[in-house]
Amino acid sequence: YFIWSTAGNECCERLAYYGIAKNLITYYTSELHESSVSAARQVMIWQGTCFIIPLLGALIADSYWGRYCTIASFSAIYFTIGHLQPHSGMTLLTLSASVPGLKPAESIGPSLCSPEAAVQYGVFLSGLYLIALLGTGGIKPCVSPFGADQFDDTDPIERVSKASFFNWFYFFIYIGSFVSSTLLVWVQENSGWGLGFMIPTVWEWELGPQYMLMGIAEVFFFVGRLEFFYEQSPDAMRSLCSALALLNTAMGNYLSSLILTLVAYFTTADGKGGWIPDDLDKGHLDYFFWLLVLLGLVNVPVHVLFSVKHTQKKAAV
């Protein structure tokens, strides 16, 4: 029961997170009237924050409350208080996209040309960062270690089952991501942003073959990463080490924001539209993706070097 409820909790949390994250760049450009580069940069910064705050949640779990109490407490904040009070993440974000006084006006954007626009923008950003602080910060680093803790390492059968748990755990993550990337994106673009943000609050087929290939690669990588950080960490630091696993995602998002800024600066220096203009059909987004491919290729030998030099922790008998 605990194992399935843990995986289910993660599925709902990821549905809520990806329900916002998957189409957030479109919301920035179409509703907040940001440029494509500015929108992508701000989304990367928010996603980076979502994955670096778990270090704080992990510290609370390992040092003070324990994993179960931390998950229960932050889940209550994320899903219950956030729905009942207009001061917390998910509801605040929904209100910012649906209530007339809080919805973005035509003048909103980088200049924030009126006090009303500044308030509307502030409400929107408050909702986003409350989600990062109160939601993913407390839940994300604790869920997978808590589920794995339910298995007895001294039992050979349960030790094998624990490896299976990480596969199922990541499967549930992608169930939430799949629903968010398809149904919720469609709702947001065709039925309104208020309804699109409300669905993950209560509960493009920011290319199918490419996404499928990326998904397969992520499954092989992230499942192994979850199990690696759990198995190789000290027993009293498993939440913290799970948060460290998320830290590379956070740093990747921050680095993406920096790369976007640099690419936009250097490719527009000659007065042209650059690689990532507001009208992407007039840019060279393919050049940007090839740059990311090259950076990934540089990372491969570095990863292999550290993998070879790593000393495995001895399994418990």
Side-chain angles (χ1 to χ4, degrees), residues 2-301:
F2 279 116
I3 295 167
W4 288 109
S5 65
T6 299
N9 182 83
E10 179 68 7
C11 178
C12 292
E13 191 272 334
R14 290 292 88 185
L15 188 150
Y17 170 81
Y18 285 117
I20 297 166
K22 288 292 184 181
N23 221 23
L24 192 54
I25 290 179
T26 303
Y27 186 77
Y28 265 108
T29 55
S30 64
E31 301 298 317
L32 300 182
H33 317 295
E34 297 277 0
S35 67
S36 296
V37 172
S38 176
R41 181 170 58 241
Q42 294 195 58
V43 170
M44 291 298 105
I45 291 173
W46 174 70
Q47 289 181 326
T49 303
C50 284
F51 284 98
I52 201 171
I53 292 295
L55 287 171
L56 177 61
L59 181 63
I60 293 173
D62 283 341
S63 303
Y64 301 102
W65 292 359
R67 284 185 271 274
Y68 177 80
C69 289
T70 303
I71 292 171
S73 300
F74 280 89
S75 292
I77 294 172
Y78 199 13
F79 295 111
T80 305
I81 299 177
H83 301 159
L84 297 178
Q85 297 183 10
H87 306 292
S88 299
M90 296 295 293
T91 294
L92 196 58
L93 189 64
T94 303
L95 293 176
S96 74
S98 55
V99 174
L102 299 178
K103 289 175 66 175
E106 288 296 324
S107 60
I108 203 169
S111 62
L112 298 179
C113 59
S114 71
E116 293 79 10
V119 170
Q120 293 160 354
Y121 205 66
V123 169
F124 170 73
L125 290 179
S126 297
L128 277 184
Y129 282 92
L130 278 173
I131 290 169
L133 178 63
L134 302 180
T136 57
I139 298 172
K140 193 66 179 168
C142 303
V143 176
S144 58
F146 176 73
D149 284 345
Q150 310 309 309
F151 296 92
D152 185 358
D153 279 334
T154 61
D155 187 319
I157 296 177
E158 291 202 12
R159 192 183 304 149
V160 173
S161 298
K162 183 167 68 174
S164 231
F165 162 76
F166 287 107
N167 292 322
W168 282 108
F169 181 81
Y170 214 77
F171 173 79
F172 275 94
I173 288 178
Y174 268 88
I175 289 294
S177 176
F178 176 77
V179 174
S180 301
S181 304
T182 53
L183 175 62
L184 293 187
V185 168
W186 184 89
V187 170
Q188 288 166 355
E189 294 190 348
N190 293 277
S191 299
W193 292 97
L195 179 61
F197 284 151
M198 183 178 68
I199 291 178
T201 303
V202 296
W203 179 342
E204 353 184 8
W205 283 101
E206 18 225 350
L207 296 174
Q210 292 91 328
Y211 278 122
M212 185 176 296
L213 182 61
M214 290 172 62
I216 293 172
E218 285 195 9
V219 166
F220 281 104
F221 171 72
F222 283 108
V223 172
R225 187 186 72 170
L226 279 173
E227 187 172 359
F228 173 81
F229 274 90
Y230 180 85
E231 294 289 353
Q232 299 299 308
S233 62
D235 293 346
M237 296 179 61
R238 280 176 168 162
S239 293
L240 182 60
C241 289
S242 293
L244 289 175
L246 302 174
L247 182 61
N248 60 40
T249 304
M251 299 311 295
N253 280 286
Y254 290 139
L255 182 60
S256 294
S257 176
L258 176 62
I259 292 172
L260 277 169
T261 301
L262 293 175
V263 166
Y265 175 79
F266 285 110
T267 60
T268 57
D270 56 359
K272 295 182 179 179
W275 289 2
I276 316 175
D278 291 340
D279 185 353
L280 296 180
D281 290 334
K282 298 179 180 179
H284 281 288
L285 200 58
D286 54 328
Y287 292 174
F288 179 71
F289 286 148
W290 278 116
L291 175 62
L292 297 181
V293 170
L294 290 175
L295 292 175
L297 291 175
V298 171
N299 181 61
V300 170

